[in-house]
Amino acid sequence: MALTILQQIEETVKAIRLKYAASPKVGIVLGSGLGNLTSEITIEKEIAYTDIPHFPVSTVEGHGGKLIFGTLSGQQVVILSGRFHYYEGYTPAQVVFPIRVLKFLGVDTLLLSNAAGGMNAGFRVGDLMIINDHISMFIVNPLLGKNDSELGPRFPDMSEPYDKALIKAAKGVAAGLGIPVHEGVYAGVTGPTFETRAEYRLLHIAGGDAVGMSTVQEVIAARHMGVSVFAISVITDLGIREEENIITHEEVLQAAAAAEPKLTALFKGIIAGL
Ligand code: HPA
């Protein structure tokens, strides 16, 4: 018989435990072109996804594909270096599988970053937006199907997916570092097409300040399990400009790389204060 998700998680955790025994409480997922934080870690153990049972393998340019354990800003952390997107063809359950594994490894706080298209007229390329809420109606909910109550409740509350205390702490760190940050709503989409102009307008009218192809499924799975979440977008392009506006993956990666030092400094400060 096929293994349940919980049985898969248990097998995976067991396999990881054979290679690394400590239990970091902080998990980190980095977005496209935003992987440099890993170079700041004092690495204790790296495990390639290909060596982890039941882990999908990352296919996207700009993504690594390994689990990194170590210390950062004085805290034990685990980084998912390389994330899985629905648009790559993974099922929603596969996309969130590593997040579930993190929880069962002991993670109770998850920090995520992503590259996103700006829709708020006040945003510029390179800006940072702390996510204070999201819109999940345009993605596929990873909790569809039979619920495993050992993971979380059938009907999880989503009134506050992004932890208010973490947002407050992040704003304090940003102010201290002199890094300007916006706060806003992240509209999740499946991709892989960037939005049409009409779609950007729709998502903006619907309440989105930024739009992107990751994060929301991971956040839903994390909140299902009671993990506290902080997430931040780097605005890599602007979706609502009326002039010529062709968005490319290269442009997104370039803008992400340019903004990355700010993000790295912010994450380090947040982690130091946890
Ligand atoms: N739309 C969707 N996803 C994105 C974008 C965008 O404009 N930029 C970076 N990821």
Side-chain angles (χ1 to χ4, degrees):
M1 227 177 72
L3 296 181
T4 65
I5 298 273
L6 196 64
Q7 287 168 332
Q8 289 181 33
I9 294 168
E10 282 164 354
E11 275 194 6
T12 302
V13 167
K14 215 164 130 188
I16 292 169
R17 285 264 172 257
L18 289 175
K19 298 178 193 229
Y20 184 79
S23 290
K25 290 198 172 351
V26 181
I28 303 171
V29 185
L30 302 170
S32 300
L34 299 170
N36 260 351
L37 185 69
T38 53
S39 64
E40 305 267 342
I41 294 186
T42 306
I43 296 175
E44 287 168 14
K45 183 75 188 168
E46 292 187 341
I47 310 174
Y49 288 169
T50 45
D51 294 333
I52 305 176
H54 308 301
F55 248 55
V57 175
S58 189
T59 64
V60 187
E61 200 185 321
H63 288 262
K66 59 190 172 189
L67 204 54
I68 304 174
F69 292 95
T71 50
L72 183 64
S73 305
Q75 304 272 1
Q76 293 272 334
V77 300
V78 51
I79 296 205
L80 287 174
S81 178
R83 68 165 15 137
F84 303 98
H85 303 85
Y86 182 66
Y87 63 74
E88 294 176 85
Y90 300 110
T91 64
Q94 285 177 307
V95 170
V96 304
F97 185 76
I99 304 296
R100 288 174 163 161
V101 167
L102 291 191
K103 159 75 180 176
F104 282 76
L105 283 171
V107 166
D108 61 18
T109 303
L110 184 66
L111 312 178
L112 306 104
S113 67
N114 60 54
M119 300 185 295
N120 184 311
F123 291 3
R124 296 290 167 266
V125 168
D127 285 359
L128 302 181
M129 182 192 88
I130 293 174
I131 301 176
N132 61 18
D133 209 344
H134 70 223
I135 294 171
S136 71
M137 272 85 183
F138 303 106
I139 56 128
V140 181
N141 196 301
L143 306 184
L144 287 172
K146 192 173 178 305
N147 186 59
D148 192 327
S149 59
E150 293 204 45
L151 292 175
R154 171 73 290 187
F155 300 108
D157 174 66
M158 279 295 149
S159 59
E160 194 191 314
Y162 302 89
D163 190 271
K164 282 208 174 83
L166 289 173
I167 292 176
K168 191 167 169 224
K171 285 163 84 174
V173 171
L177 293 170
I179 298 172
V181 284
H182 303 287
E183 240 188 274
V185 174
Y186 179 90
V189 292
T190 67
T193 43
F194 289 113
E195 290 63 44
T196 65
R197 288 177 182 221
E199 287 163 351
Y200 281 120
R201 280 198 300 272
L202 168 76
L203 292 168
H204 185 46
I205 292 165
D209 296 295
V211 53
M213 306 175 194
S214 67
T215 306
V216 175
Q217 290 174 321
E218 296 156 328
V219 171
I220 289 173
R223 293 304 304 139
H224 183 227
M225 301 180 295
V227 171
S228 300
V229 171
F230 173 80
I232 187 162
S233 293
V234 175
I235 304 301
T236 54
D237 50 273
L238 296 174
I240 48 166
R241 283 185 312 199
E242 284 306 322
E243 68 263 34
E244 189 200 349
N245 187 20
I246 297 168
I247 297 164
T248 65
H249 186 54
E250 288 65 38
E251 174 190 357
V252 166
L253 290 178
Q254 246 173 39
E260 179 158 40
K262 285 193 292 188
L263 190 70
T264 299
L266 192 57
F267 265 36
K268 282 167 66 181
I270 296 168
I271 291 164
L274 286 174

